């Protein structure tokens, strides 16, 4: 196990609702990256947080937002959920933005109906 | 644009045999990193092996080795002595060397099934 935890494990939401996913980074890690993995696809980079600031963003709309707290845990918020948001959401923590070692959590499976 | 291509949607291998999973990449950056991850059905991405673009030797980690052919832009994963527990999805990924986020770009993945 990597020491990275995510909650909840599974979640079912209705289109138009809002959702918050949580990630606790490994001890000593100050950087959290979030990825979206649709069924049968590779993960896609959503954004990264480093020392409580957004440090890079992938091709995702503004309704995907995040936060990082002083203890370096992080939240991913998605507003106005769409059916295509159904996916596995993975977070990965690392010792810095350029560290090649990223440790992934088990993911949150989001289903939007 | 940077891209990772995995052309094998699924592979079968007999237990104790070796298997090669293919990965090709495209980038114009001279500095980049290549990764392989294993994803069991539980969903967690498990880091297997890393190869830097300037590394002279192919990376090895236990039963995993990376066959890095820079001129061909390929980074194939070789798993020796396959075990039943190796059955999983395998992803090749590239790190954006130009940026400062360590953002990973993943391929589509290859499902590996190990037969007893």
């Amino acid at each position: 196990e990597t020491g990275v935890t995510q909650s909840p494990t599974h979640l079912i939401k209705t289109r138009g609702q809002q959702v918050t996913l949580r990630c606790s980074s490994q001890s000593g890690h100050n950087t959290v990256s979030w990825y979206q993995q649709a069924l049968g696809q590779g993960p896609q980079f959503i954004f990264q947080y480093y020392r409580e600031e957004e440090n890079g963003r992938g091709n995702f709309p503004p309704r995907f937002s995040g936060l990082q707290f002083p203890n370096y845990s992080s939240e991913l918020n998605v507003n106005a959920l769409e059916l295509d948001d159904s996916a596995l959401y993975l977070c990965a923590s690392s010792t810095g933005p350029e560290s090649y070692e990223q440790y992934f959590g088990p993911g949150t499976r989001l289903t939007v109906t | 644009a940077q891209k990772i291509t995995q052309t094998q949607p699924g592979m079968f291998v007999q237990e104790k045999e070796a298997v090669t999973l293919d990965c090709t990449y495209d980038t114009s950056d001279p500095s980049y990193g290549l990764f392989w991850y294993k994803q069991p059905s539980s969903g967690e991405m498990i880091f297997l092996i890393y190869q830097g673009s300037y590394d002279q030797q192919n990376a090895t980690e236990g039963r995993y080795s990376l066959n890095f052919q820079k001129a061909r832009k390929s980074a194939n994963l070789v798993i020796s002595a396959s075990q039943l527990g190796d059955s999983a999805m395998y992803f090749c990924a590239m790190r954006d060397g130009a940026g400062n986020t360590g953002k990973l770009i993943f391929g589509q993945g290859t499902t590996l099934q190990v037969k007893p």
Side-chain angles (χ1 to χ4, degrees), chain A residues 37 41 48 55 97-98 102, chain B residues 35 39 95 101-102 104 108:
Chain A
Q37 185 179 15
Q41 304 289 320
Q48 182 185 80
N55 184 52
E98 297 187 37
Q102 295 192 36
Chain B
F35 301 75
Q39 187 177 42
R95 174 183 154 177
T101 66
L104 292 173
Q108 295 282 78

Side-chain angles (χ1 to χ4, degrees), chain B residues 88-99:
Chain B
M89 191 81 161
Y90 288 81
F91 288 96
C92 180
M94 177 166 57
R95 174 183 154 177
D96 182 350

Side-chain angles (χ1 to χ4, degrees), chain A residues 32-52:
Chain A
V32 173
S33 301
W34 285 92
Y35 292 83
Q36 180 196 66
Q37 185 179 15
L39 196 62
Q41 304 289 320
Q44 288 195 308
F45 177 76
I46 303 174
F47 45 55
Q48 182 185 80
Y49 277 82
Y50 169 56
R51 292 185 176 178
E52 304 180 57

Side-chain angles (χ1 to χ4, degrees), chain B residues 15-91:
Chain B
E15 192 178 9
K16 300 180 185 177
E17 292 186 349
V19 62
T20 298
L21 305 185
D22 294 342
C23 172
T24 58
Y25 61 92
D26 189 20
T27 181
S28 56
D29 294 324
S31 175
Y32 51 90
L34 296 159
F35 301 75
W36 278 91
Y37 284 87
K38 172 184 178 181
Q39 187 177 42
S41 56
S42 58
E44 187 170 342
M45 299 287 278
I46 302 168
F47 167 77
L48 295 178
I49 197 166
Y50 167 80
Q51 180 87 43
S53 59
Y54 294 119
D55 293 344
Q56 295 296 315
Q57 293 188 325
N58 287 345
T60 60
E61 290 284 350
R63 294 188 298 113
Y64 305 107
S65 60
L66 199 152
N67 185 1
F68 181 46
Q69 298 188 39
K70 197 170 184 177
R72 298 179 60 185
K73 293 189 174 180
S74 74
N76 299 340
L77 176 70
V78 180
I79 305 174
S80 62
S82 296
Q83 301 172 355
L84 296 177
D86 294 336
S87 294
M89 191 81 161
Y90 288 81
F91 288 96

Side-chain angles (χ1 to χ4, degrees), chain A residues 11-76:
Chain A
L11 201 54
I12 300 175
K13 289 286 190 178
T14 303
R15 189 171 51 181
Q17 287 187 318
Q18 178 265 342
V19 70
T20 298
L21 311 182
R22 295 177 176 84
C23 172
S24 290
S25 58
Q26 184 165 314
S27 176
H29 288 190
N30 58 19
T31 304
V32 173
S33 301
W34 285 92
Y35 292 83
Q36 180 196 66
Q37 185 179 15
L39 196 62
Q41 304 289 320
Q44 288 195 308
F45 177 76
I46 303 174
F47 45 55
Q48 182 185 80
Y49 277 82
Y50 169 56
R51 292 185 176 178
E52 304 180 57
E53 297 285 335
E54 186 179 292
N55 184 52
R57 188 179 183 93
N59 189 26
F60 280 82
R63 59 191 185 83
F64 285 79
S65 63
L67 279 175
Q68 188 178 32
F69 300 98
N71 66 356
Y72 303 128
S73 65
S74 177
E75 285 184 354
L76 164 65

